[in-house]
Structure formats: structure tokens, C-alpha cells
């Protein structure tokens, strides 16, 4: 994947249209009496999320989201570069944890996670209309560095807003597909995982080395980062229903001889103009990078969404590439994973018959034998086929465990990556 490669400009679903479509017919504002317009929006949603589309779209015009994003995302890098004891204390004070070993100074990603509870009925209140100023005082009793004083509240506020977007989009998809399977499966779950993610620059790892007194490993870190300079995150499917992401923020940190004092970064535009999120385009059999406005939210379909919709939605095979020539550039984003309840039963229906090729490869994502052809052959070796992970009647908990095992277990396809 090169930075000059093909890009995909996402379809922008405006928040006002999402609100109108996710409300009952009797609650539609007068401005939306044009039924033909709404039908065209619904058709475009399915064109992008359905079997012939890329499996993702962008939502724009979300109220208050910009301020929350600008407040939260810079904290990802600051948290990642804290010493272990201070970071552990800050995370504990705000109810956050991590699902990777943060003591590994050669890591390329630092995620900070929290389970988020949500409103059982998103129409009761507009969860995106949160006045952040009203919630700031709630953290005043937490003794932690001032820059993290509102970490927990902003995390929850932005996460709650993003949950609302996912629930509303699930409701719209249900209206188009028929039934209530998607929205109901999410409501039964009652929670979603929020994850604040810092994608390290090469400089970040040098800073971690210096702050941990391991400057002698600098050359090793440079080689490690060079070897993995093409990807920040390997190819995979998310296994939930929807994944909602902020458009990423990019931080540039001036180099100061690898000193830990050079940890201050400044927001900068994407050097390539895209998000560095890349997908395998199922129609063109090629890798494309996703382009979205900085104020938008990206929503992509997960495998459970694909399964529960009986193939009417397409799960997105994706990765995150990294710029090879900019060693001072890091990437920050916030992600909310909307998943069914752990006890939800997943039925393979005729998916395994219609969507899997005769040699057991996943043709759902790539039209037939795409995973056997370049450029996706290498990708196919990294992604365990759905037919090996999904058995009829599995619970979502069983499916998620098997998926994690086949990706990252001791004998998983990405166990050493």
C-alpha cells in the first residue's frame, strides 16, 4: 500500500437525515415531507453498507462532537507516553483499562478502554446533545494531572454520542431490511466498548526508551518500526454489529534527540489527505484508503451485523496503514464497538453455503476467489475464514472467543505480528 494509492471518498450521511430516518413517521419534521428524498437517502445507505458496497459510511453534522473530539483525542498520546505508574493511576481514577501490555516500550499501538452503558431508548433524549460544560465538574474530586482531569467524563460523553449514532443507524437498517434484529440485538447488550487509541510514531518509541532508561535499544526500535512501517494495525474484520470511529487526529512532535522532554505534539492535517484506514474493495479487488472529513464519524459493518442481517450488510475487511517517511507523526482516534449480548445466538443460515467458496475461503468479502489473487493473497493468509470461526447456533461470546483465538492465539494467523 502506498500513500499515493487509490482513495475512497465516503458517503456522508448528515445527522439531521439520520435523526429523521430513525424517528417514527409521525415524528418527521416538516422539512422531511419529501418522501422521495428520504427514500433516496435510505437507498444510498444500503448501497454503501450492503453486499455491493464498501461496508462503511460517514456521519456528518453531529452536534457538540467536534469539541468532544478535540478534547479527548490528544489525551491518547499523552497517556501512551506517561510513565507506567502515573498512567496506571490515571486510568484507575477514570475507570479505564487496556487490553495490550503497556509496559512493552516497542509497542506500536496504545489502547485505553472502558465499557459504556447506554440508554435503552435513544428517542428518550438526544444523546449527542450533551453539554460538555455541564459535566466537567463531575471529575473535580479526582486527584490526577490537570490535563487528564476530565478524561473519564469526555470519554463517556463522546462514547454515549457515538452509541446513539450506531443505534439509530441500526434502526434505519432494520427499517430497510425488515424486522428489528439489528437494533434489538444491540439494546439487549446494554453496553458497548469504547477504546481511545494512540498509534505510535517512531519518535514515540524512542521517547519511551529514553524515559525508561533503555537508550541502548534505540537501534533495535528503529529496525522494529521500519519492519512494520507499512501497517499500524493488521488486516481484520471487527466481529460486532457496527464499529463507530471518530475521524483520526494526527499529531506531529518535533524531535529533540530522543529526549523524553520532546513528548509535546501538535495537531496537524493528514499529510496524505486521507485517514490511513484502508479497506479491501470487494468490487475492484484492490486496497483503497478511506477519506473522510475531520469532523465526521465513520461507521463500518462488523461480522455480526453481516450475519444478523443475513448478508444484507457487508462486513468491512480493513487495516490501518502508516506513513513510511514521517517518523514524528502519530495518529489518534476513538472507537466504539457495538456488539450483541454475549448470549445472543448467531445462526449461519445459508451463509456458509452461498458465501463461502468450495475451498473454504471467504468469498463474501472479495467476490469468489479474490483472496487467492494478488494483491489480496497476502491478506488472505492473515484473516481466518469465517467458516472456520462461525458454527451454527454459536453464542456471540463463543464466536468472539473463537475469532480472537484464530487471529491472535498461540497458533493464530497473526500470533507473531
Amino acid at each position: 500500500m502506498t500513500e499515493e494509492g487509490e482513495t475512497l471518498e465516503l458517503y456522508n450521511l448528515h445527522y439531521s437525515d439520520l435523526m429523521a430516518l430513525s424517528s417514527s413517521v409521525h415524528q418527521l419534521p416538516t422539512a422531511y415531507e419529501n418522501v422521495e428524498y428520504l427514500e433516496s437517502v435510505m437507498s444510498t445507505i444500503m448501497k454503501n453498507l450492503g453486499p455491493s458496497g464498501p461496508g462503511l459510511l460517514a456521519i456528518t453534522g453531529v452536534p457538540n462532537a467536534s469539541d468532544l473530539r478535540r478534547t479527548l483525542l490528544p489525551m491518547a498520546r499523552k497517556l501512551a507516553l506517561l510513565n507506567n505508574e502515573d498512567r496506571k493511576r490515571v486510568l484507575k481514577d477514570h475507570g479505564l483499562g487496556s487490553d495490550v501490555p503497556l509496559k512493552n516500550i516497542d509497542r506500536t499501538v496504545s489502547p485505553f478502554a472502558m465499557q459504556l452503558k447506554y440508554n435503552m431508548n435513544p428517542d428518550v433524549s438526544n444523546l449527542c446533545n450533551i453539554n460538555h460544560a455541564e459535566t466537567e465538574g463531575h471529575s473535580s474530586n479526582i486527584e490526577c494531572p490537570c490535563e487528564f482531569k476530565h478524561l473519564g467524563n469526555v470519554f463517556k460523553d463522546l462514547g454515549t454520542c457515538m452509541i446513539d449514532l450506531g443505534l439509530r443507524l441500526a434502526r434505519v437498517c432494520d427499517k430497510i431490511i425488515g424486522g428489528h434484529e439489528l437494533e434489538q440485538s444491540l439494546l439487549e447488550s446494554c453496553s458497548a466498548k469504547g477504546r481511545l487509541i494512540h498509534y505510535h510514531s517512531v519518535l514515540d518509541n524512542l521517547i519511551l526508551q529514553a524515559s525508561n532508561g533503555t537508550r541502548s535499544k534505540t537501534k533495535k526500535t528503529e529496525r522494529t518500526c521500519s519492519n512494520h512501517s507499512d501497517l499500524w494495525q493488521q488486516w481484520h474484520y471487527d466481529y460486532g454489529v457496527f464499529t463507530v470511529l471518530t475521524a483520526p487526529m494526527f499529531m506531529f512532535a518535533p524531535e529533540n534527540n530522543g529526549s523524553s522532554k520532546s513528548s509535546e505534539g501538535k495537531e496537524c492535517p493528514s499529510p496524505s489527505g486521507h485517514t490511513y484506514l484502508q479497506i479491501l474493495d470487494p468490487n475492484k479487488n484492490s486496497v483503497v484508503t478511506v477519506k473522510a472529513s475531520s469532523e465526521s464519524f465513520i461507521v463500518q459493518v462488523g461480522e455480526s451485523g453481516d450475519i444478523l442481517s443475513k448478508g444484507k450488510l457487508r462486513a468491512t475487511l480493513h487495516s490501518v496503514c502508516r506513513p513510511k517517511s514521517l517518523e514524528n507523526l502519530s495518529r489518534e482516534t476513538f472507537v466504539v464497538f457495538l456488539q450483541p449480548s454475549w448470549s445472543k445466538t448467531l445462526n449461519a443460515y445459508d451463509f456458509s453455503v452461498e458465501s463461502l467458496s468450495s475451498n473454504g475461503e471467504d468469498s463474501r468479502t472479495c467476490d469468489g476467489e479474490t483472496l487467492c489473487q494478488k494483491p489480496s493473497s497476502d491478506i488472505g493468509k492473515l484473516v481466518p475464514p469465517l467458516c472456520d470461526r462461525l458454527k451454527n447456533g454459536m453464542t456471540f461470546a463463543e464466536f468472539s472467543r473463537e475469532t480472537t483465538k484464530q487471529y491472535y492465539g498461540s497458533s493464530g494467523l497473526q500470533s507473531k505480528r
Side-chain angles (χ1 to χ4, degrees), residues 20-133:
L21 290 170
S22 60
S23 300
S24 67
V25 177
H26 301 294
Q27 294 175 325
L28 290 180
T30 343
Y32 288 94
E33 290 179 349
N34 188 339
V35 177
E36 290 185 359
Y37 170 74
L38 287 180
E39 288 179 346
S40 71
V41 173
M42 294 174 79
S43 174
T44 308
I45 290 173
M46 288 307 294
K47 181 180 178 181
N48 284 272
L49 299 185
S52 61
L56 70 171
L57 53 72
I59 300 177
T60 59
V62 181
N64 299 319
S66 179
D67 289 342
L68 291 169
R69 172 184 174 273
R70 288 184 176 275
T71 301
L72 181 63
L73 295 194
M75 295 188 201
R77 184 172 187 270
K78 293 176 181 179
L79 279 170
L81 298 184
L82 274 183
N83 67 70
N84 291 329
E85 289 305 314
D86 287 345
R87 180 175 53 244
K88 183 177 179 180
R89 178 166 52 87
V90 171
L91 294 179
K92 182 179 179 181
D93 286 344
H94 292 280
L96 277 77
S98 182
D99 41 18
V100 303
L102 295 177
K103 290 185 178 181
N104 176 12
I105 60 173
D106 292 328
R107 65 188 185 273
T108 57
V109 175
S110 292
F112 309 101
M114 179 195 296
Q115 283 297 126
L116 299 164
K117 300 292 184 181
Y118 53 81
N119 195 324
M120 292 294 288
N121 184 355
D123 273 342
V124 171
S125 61
N126 181 356
L127 301 183
C128 287
N129 274 326
I130 297 171
N131 185 346
H132 176 51

